[in-house]
């Protein structure tokens, strides 16, 4: 597919826009997407192209490790540019770091923090909701992970 | 329809149309939206909906996007209450919206929670205060995905950190007509901000409306990001005012403004592009006191004249010709 802006390069970024009363997809090459201001967070346009490209340039992919919480592999993350869950950041941190540095610089976080660590009850309550959803859908792998987490938290709580 | 945020008249409204704060959050115990099945998404929606009911001072209407028609959803996007991405697929998505439409929360867009606060005029401090109060109250009920080094975790690593984007929409007709805008867009990007068309892109921005936003979410606090945005926005507004002084030195601009007003007042058919171009001139004329029209009703008109919002106002799909006729009629009516 050819870029709709320059009509020259291959379009590798596909973004949703509202055009004449319809949600339409716009196809742009990487350069046009940047010059039109698409290289930013929160556009809600999906960053698959950008992150995928960053990742595949430097990082070694090709490993079969999967996230223990959501089951996504690093290869899949590099493919669609989307992290699967919070735990993915933990598991794939080293592989992700070069890309994070390229996107954000070597900065470390200095913004606001959650008021207090979420209470044990709250965390367990949410995990139970997630567990129920996983069981209803027969996603037993996720259900097992969630159950382990609940048990871990309960065990920690018990020790204190 | 009750009073909406855009019907108010805000500070600096000769240049600043509105201010918005977006905050992205995810619940730790659920995978991010792209890894959720439909039933899981519905579960996430209900968990967040429950948490929202405990928020003081704000009450939300809740809507599953599946229950709305395609035009209704696109109209929400035209009114900037949801993103185009959100409007493009309705499955498993829901919206929390206050009556005045100043606060909206998209559920299961790119993240579980995309909170938006939008006020008329230049109101960064007020909008941030509202957004953080709501975020803080939600955080008491929900365990947000957070990491000490990376901050709030998002599905797209580009947004992680504060997960906050602050924006002001600026009306910059004089900077466009004096061709200063392209250079400005380049300068601003070096300062950790972006400037892009609010309706349409780049120099082809419709209605000369531009959105100025922070792009840095890691290594800078929310307050610092807002102060940075505030000072650049004020500088751009000052530059725009100076450019207006300059273009009003010739009679050409006054002629263009009155011609634009004449066309809007008498046209029998008008498409979105022409409407946006002319209404931009009329707004400039109104600010200069040439045309008796208040800015709030011009902003409301811009929003109501977008294609899906027009179709929605007659409750049936319209073809192009019908829509352009209806738009001209509605504009005539609004111009009195
Ligand atoms: Zn191109
Ligand atoms: Zn994961």
């Amino acid at each position: 597919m050819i870029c709709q802006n320059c009509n020259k390069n291959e379009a590798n970024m596909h973004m949703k826009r509202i055009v004449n009363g319809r949600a339409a997809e716009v196809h742009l090459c990487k350069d046009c997407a940047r010059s039109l201001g698409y290289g930013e967070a929160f556009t809600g346009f999906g960053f698959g192209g950008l992150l995928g490209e960053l990742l595949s340039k430097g990082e070694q992919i090709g490993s079969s490790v999967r996230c223990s919480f959501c089951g996504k592999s690093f290869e899949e993350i590099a493919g669609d540019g989307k992290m699967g869950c919070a735990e993915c950041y933990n598991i794939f941190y080293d592989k992700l770091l070069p890309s994070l540095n390229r996107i954000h610089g070597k900065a470390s976080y200095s913004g606001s923090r959650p008021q207090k660590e979420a209470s044990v009850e709250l965390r367990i309550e949410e995990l139970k909701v997630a567990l129920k959803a996983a069981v209803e859908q027969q996603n037993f792998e996720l259900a097992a992970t969630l159950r382990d987490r609940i048990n871990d938290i309960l065990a920690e709580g018990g020790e204190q | 329809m009750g009073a909406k945020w855009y019907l108010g008249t805000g500070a600096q409204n000769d240049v600043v149309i509105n201010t918005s704060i977006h905050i992205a959050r995810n619940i730790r115990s659920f995978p991010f939206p792209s890894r959720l099945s439909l039933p899981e998404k519905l579960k996430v929606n209900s968990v967040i909906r429950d948490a929202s009911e405990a928020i003081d001072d704000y009450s939300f209407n809740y809507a599953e996007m599946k229950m709305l028609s395609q035009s209704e959803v696109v109209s929400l996007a035209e009114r900037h209450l949801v993103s185009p991405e959100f409007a493009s697929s309705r499955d498993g998505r829901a919206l929390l919206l206050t009556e005045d439409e100043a606060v909206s929360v998209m559920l299961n867009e790119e993240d579980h929670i995309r909170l938006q606060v939008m006020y008329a005029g230049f109101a960064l401090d007020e909008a941030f205060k509202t957004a953080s109060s709501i975020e803080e109250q939600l955080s008491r009920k929900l365990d947000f995905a957070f990491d000490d080094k990376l901050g709030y975790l998002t599905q797209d690593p580009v947004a992680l950190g504060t997960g906050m984007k602050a924006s002001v929409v600026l009306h910059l007709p004089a900077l466009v007509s004096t061709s200063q805008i392209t250079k400005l867009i380049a300068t601003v990007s070096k300062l950790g901000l972006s400037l892009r068309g609010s309706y349409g892109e780049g120099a082809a921005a419709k209605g000369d409306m531009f959105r100025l936003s922070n792009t840095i979410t890691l290594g800078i606090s929310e307050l610092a990001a807002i102060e940075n945005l505030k000072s650049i926005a004020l500088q751009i507004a000052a530059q725009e005012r100076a450019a207006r002084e300059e273009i009003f030195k010739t009679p050409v601009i006054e002629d263009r403004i009155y011609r634009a007003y004449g066309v809007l007042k008498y046209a029998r058919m008008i498409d979105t592009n022409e409407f946006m171009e002319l209404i931009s001139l009329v707004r400039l004329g109104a600010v200069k006191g040439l045309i008796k029209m208040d800015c709030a009703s011009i902003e409301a008109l811009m929003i109501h004249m977008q294609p899906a919002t027009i179709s929605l106002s007659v409750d049936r799909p319209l073809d192009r010709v019908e829509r352009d006729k209806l738009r001209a009629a509605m504009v005539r009516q609004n111009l009195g």
Side-chain angles (χ1 to χ4, degrees):
Chain A
M1 189 172 292
I2 297 297
C3 169
Q4 292 173 334
N5 191 54
C6 62
N7 288 317
K8 229 169 50 205
N9 302 333
E10 182 71 15
N12 40 23
M13 305 206 41
H14 311 280
M15 285 148 296
K16 302 283 187 346
R17 302 289 291 151
I18 299 295
V19 180
N20 292 326
R22 256 172 248 280
E25 208 166 6
V26 180
H27 310 283
L28 298 170
C29 71
K30 184 179 75 260
D31 294 341
C32 290
R34 287 221 181 99
S35 72
L36 293 174
Y38 283 114
E40 57 166 313
F42 288 97
T43 48
F45 298 135
F47 260 78
L50 187 58
L51 182 72
E53 189 205 338
L54 282 174
L55 289 171
S56 52
K57 258 185 194 156
E59 282 75 9
Q60 286 291 320
I61 302 176
S63 109
S64 57
V65 180
R66 286 183 176 272
C67 170
S68 59
F69 188 68
C70 74
K72 199 162 184 173
S73 70
F74 193 71
E75 207 163 355
E76 288 164 343
I77 292 172
D80 66 6
K82 295 178 199 297
M83 303 300 283
C85 70
E87 188 62 20
C88 284
Y89 279 102
N90 228 339
I91 292 179
F92 302 121
Y93 184 76
D94 292 338
K95 290 183 172 187
L96 199 60
L97 194 59
S99 307
L100 288 176
N101 287 340
R102 255 170 283 165
I103 298 168
H104 294 284
K106 288 208 161 73
S108 63
Y109 184 68
S110 61
S112 70
R113 285 161 189 279
Q115 290 308 77
K116 47 188 179 306
E117 276 286 294
S119 70
V120 172
E121 293 80 27
L122 180 60
R123 284 163 65 199
I124 289 184
E125 201 181 312
E126 268 171 26
L127 285 165
K128 280 186 175 161
V129 174
L131 174 61
K132 195 159 160 262
V135 171
E136 275 165 14
Q137 284 189 76
Q138 312 201 323
N139 183 348
F140 297 116
E141 210 174 324
L142 177 59
T145 312
L146 288 164
R147 200 169 296 124
D148 289 349
R149 279 222 177 165
I150 293 173
N151 289 335
D152 286 351
I153 294 172
L154 286 173
E156 274 171 38
E159 282 161 22
Q160 283 163 8
Chain B
M1 268 199 258
K4 308 297 185 202
W5 66 266
Y6 48 82
L7 299 177
T9 305
Q12 312 250 1
N13 80 335
D14 59 331
V15 178
V16 186
I17 309 290
N18 66 52
T19 300
S20 59
I21 301 283
H22 293 83
I23 292 180
R25 292 290 183 266
N26 288 284
I27 303 172
R28 194 186 295 274
S29 56
F30 286 91
F32 296 145
S34 69
R35 290 297 276 181
L36 293 177
S37 64
L38 188 55
E40 284 171 322
K41 284 184 181 170
L42 298 177
K43 207 68 120 186
V44 167
N45 290 342
S46 85
V47 167
I48 300 169
R49 183 190 187 179
D50 288 349
S52 78
E53 277 163 8
I55 296 176
D56 289 336
D57 304 328
Y58 300 92
S59 68
F60 293 93
N61 295 312
Y62 173 85
E64 301 272 346
M65 290 300 99
K66 242 348 221 195
M67 310 309 278
L68 303 183
S69 72
Q70 183 63 30
S71 314
E72 283 172 313
V73 178
V74 173
S75 169
L76 288 170
E78 287 175 350
R79 286 182 279 148
H80 300 288
L81 296 171
V82 304
S83 65
E85 160 62 32
F86 193 74
S88 71
S89 154
R90 288 172 286 166
D91 279 339
R93 291 174 163 171
L95 181 69
L96 292 163
L97 186 62
T98 54
E99 198 58 47
D100 66 358
E101 298 183 355
V103 185
S104 58
V105 189
M106 287 184 275
L107 308 185
N108 282 315
E109 201 242 27
E110 276 282 295
D111 295 294
H112 296 145
I113 293 176
R114 281 283 175 103
L115 165 68
Q116 166 179 295
V117 176
M118 187 156 11
Y119 287 152
F122 192 57
L124 277 166
D125 291 332
E126 297 85 335
F128 179 64
K129 206 174 138 210
T130 300
S132 26
S133 151
I134 293 170
E135 189 273 342
E136 201 262 316
Q137 296 189 66
L138 285 174
S139 79
R140 279 188 228 146
K141 297 274 168 190
L142 302 168
D143 181 18
F144 288 145
F146 179 84
D147 176 272
D148 277 333
K149 291 185 295 277
L150 298 174
Y152 291 95
L153 302 174
T154 49
Q155 175 167 279
D156 178 347
V158 174
L160 65 70
T162 58
M164 183 200 75
K165 176 172 150 179
S167 318
V168 288
V169 173
L170 306 168
H171 186 218
L172 305 175
L175 291 177
V176 171
S177 82
T178 57
S179 311
Q180 297 180 62
I181 197 74
T182 316
K183 200 174 148 220
L184 191 62
I185 290 174
T187 312
V188 155
S189 74
K190 292 184 195 119
L191 302 168
L193 299 174
S194 79
L195 184 65
R196 50 187 288 198
S198 177
Y199 299 87
E201 304 305 325
K206 288 181 199 167
D208 306 319
M209 294 290 181
F210 292 85
R211 175 177 295 270
L212 178 73
S213 315
N214 68 304
T215 52
I216 299 175
T217 52
L218 199 64
I220 180 170
S221 73
E222 290 88 343
L223 283 174
I226 283 173
E227 285 307 318
N228 184 29
L229 178 65
K230 214 193 276 180
S231 86
I232 308 291
L234 289 174
Q235 285 176 46
I236 294 176
Q239 239 174 295
E240 166 68 18
R241 288 184 193 113
R244 287 182 190 180
E245 291 282 309
E246 219 34 59
I247 61 174
F248 272 96
K249 282 181 180 159
T250 76
V252 177
I253 186 69
E254 212 175 299
D255 179 62
R256 286 181 61 210
I257 288 170
Y258 282 116
R259 279 169 184 273
Y261 188 68
V263 170
L264 288 179
K265 207 167 153 134
Y266 292 104
R268 260 44 192 172
M269 278 178 67
I270 191 161
D271 68 17
T272 319
N273 286 341
E274 188 184 9
F275 166 76
M276 291 299 283
E277 191 188 318
L278 299 178
I279 198 76
S280 170
L281 283 161
V282 167
R283 191 181 197 279
L284 184 59
V287 167
K288 283 279 170 188
L290 299 174
I291 287 169
K292 283 224 171 331
M293 232 183 134
D294 65 279
C295 289
S297 47
I298 294 174
E299 263 88 86
L301 196 56
M302 280 193 184
I303 289 172
H304 291 143
M305 291 304 107
Q306 298 302 311
T309 308
I310 286 210
S311 301
L312 202 59
S313 69
V314 292
D315 228 14
R316 67 186 171 86
L318 297 172
D319 67 29
R320 220 193 170 91
V321 173
E322 288 179 303
R323 203 161 57 205
D324 291 353
K325 270 174 72 175
L326 180 62
R327 181 181 293 107
M330 290 168 79
V331 170
R332 288 203 305 277
Q333 200 182 3
N334 270 278
L335 263 54

